[in-house]
Amino acid sequence: MKVSMVALPDNSSDWISGGSGGVGSSAESRGSRPSLDDSALTEESGSKPRTFPPRSAAQERRLREMVTAHHGLIWRVVRRLGVSEADADDAAQEVFFVAASRLDDIETGKERAFLYSTAARVAANARRSLRRRRAAHDNYENAPRDVVPLPDALSDQRKAREVLDEILDALPDDMREVLVLFEMKELSIQEIAEALDMPLGTVGSRLRRAREKFQAAVERRRAMAAFRTGATS
């Protein structure tokens, strides 16, 4: 990747959350994939059949309301937590499968916190699975990939998302979870503490360190881009 071709934002928070033209404002975050359909409520995901106890009409309605309100954002959360775009559909569905199976345990008004805590666990499992797959295939980075010509604007957006993913991938998992949940401007520190079942002070400390690491990585990318631009001018 030629980092010099990626426009690094002045506001690092916006780069995650999608404000001011950041990555979140691209086709991915506007919902190019997280459109809602009945697939989020079906009882099969790929080749993994699921069996749930019968749901009452009220339970079915509550679950559909949760999906309608949160499906797109949960999709983006698992993406920012390191799940590949190819696997994000299954990961988002997994979150709602868990919610469906534990619907009676979810306190009214706490649906969002439950979904985010579940998304964090699902994403962590997906990252571990990806690491195992990469370890099993020594030539992963050299594997051929289909190259489809893209318009310049879309290509730049994709490169920016790739850079963002690389920076987030370099963060420890515990910092990454807190940073993503907070900077997507959906959860407060209190809500994150409840969702991840950790003390407020721990959330605040991890968020501060994650921001510092993220900002340092962005600054290194900017310096690298400036150096490469100067070297080729």
Side-chain angles (χ1 to χ4, degrees):
M1 178 194 306
K2 294 184 179 179
V3 179
S4 59
M5 296 180 65
V6 178
L8 298 178
D10 292 329
N11 187 323
S12 299
S13 296
D14 286 342
W15 204 22
I16 297 179
S17 64
S20 304
V23 172
S25 64
S26 68
E28 176 184 282
S29 91
R30 287 196 306 269
S32 60
R33 179 51 216 166
S35 58
L36 177 66
D37 57 36
D38 285 343
S39 65
L41 293 175
T42 59
E43 297 187 355
E44 289 191 7
S45 176
S47 59
K48 303 175 183 177
R50 306 298 177 89
T51 301
F52 297 123
R55 294 190 292 267
S56 67
Q59 290 175 320
E60 187 74 21
R61 182 168 57 253
R62 185 186 183 198
L63 181 59
R64 286 187 176 276
E65 288 172 353
M66 290 170 62
V67 174
T68 300
H70 301 292
H71 179 263
L73 193 55
I74 289 298
W75 191 94
R76 293 191 290 276
V77 165
V78 297
R79 280 286 293 121
R80 293 283 75 85
L81 288 177
V83 178
S84 69
E85 189 167 355
D87 294 331
D89 284 353
D90 284 346
Q93 286 185 357
E94 177 70 21
V95 172
F96 288 99
F97 285 136
V98 173
S101 64
R102 297 188 55 194
L103 201 57
D104 290 339
D105 298 329
I106 304 174
E107 183 180 346
T108 300
K110 301 288 187 179
E111 292 87 354
R112 185 173 66 169
F114 178 88
L115 292 173
Y116 284 132
S117 63
T118 303
R121 290 192 296 273
V122 168
N125 290 338
R127 289 195 301 271
R128 283 192 291 270
S129 176
L130 178 59
R131 290 181 190 123
R132 287 194 295 268
R133 293 200 303 269
R134 284 178 173 174
H137 298 281
D138 295 336
N139 294 325
Y140 175 83
E141 293 298 331
N142 296 321
R145 290 170 172 79
D146 293 334
V147 178
V148 179
L150 295 172
D152 289 344
L154 183 57
S155 179
D156 288 345
Q157 287 178 351
R158 177 168 293 183
K159 289 172 183 175
R161 288 199 302 270
E162 289 174 353
V163 171
L164 173 60
D165 286 342
E166 287 179 6
I167 293 176
L168 291 176
D169 282 343
L171 293 176
D173 287 349
D174 54 357
M175 292 186 197
R176 178 180 185 153
E177 289 174 354
V178 171
L179 180 68
V180 168
L181 293 179
F182 186 84
E183 294 294 357
M184 290 188 78
K185 300 179 181 178
E186 284 297 317
L187 292 187
S188 66
I189 291 179
Q190 176 70 45
E191 289 173 319
I192 294 172
E194 293 176 1
L196 301 181
D197 192 23
M198 65 177 61
L200 281 171
T202 301
V203 174
S205 175
R206 289 181 181 178
L207 178 60
R208 183 182 66 256
R209 286 183 289 141
R211 281 173 157 174
E212 290 171 353
K213 287 180 176 292
F214 183 89
Q215 185 61 43
V218 170
E219 293 301 331
R220 285 195 298 271
R221 296 274 179 165
R222 288 199 186 113
M224 186 186 303
F227 175 79
R228 290 181 177 178
T229 300
T232 57
S233 60

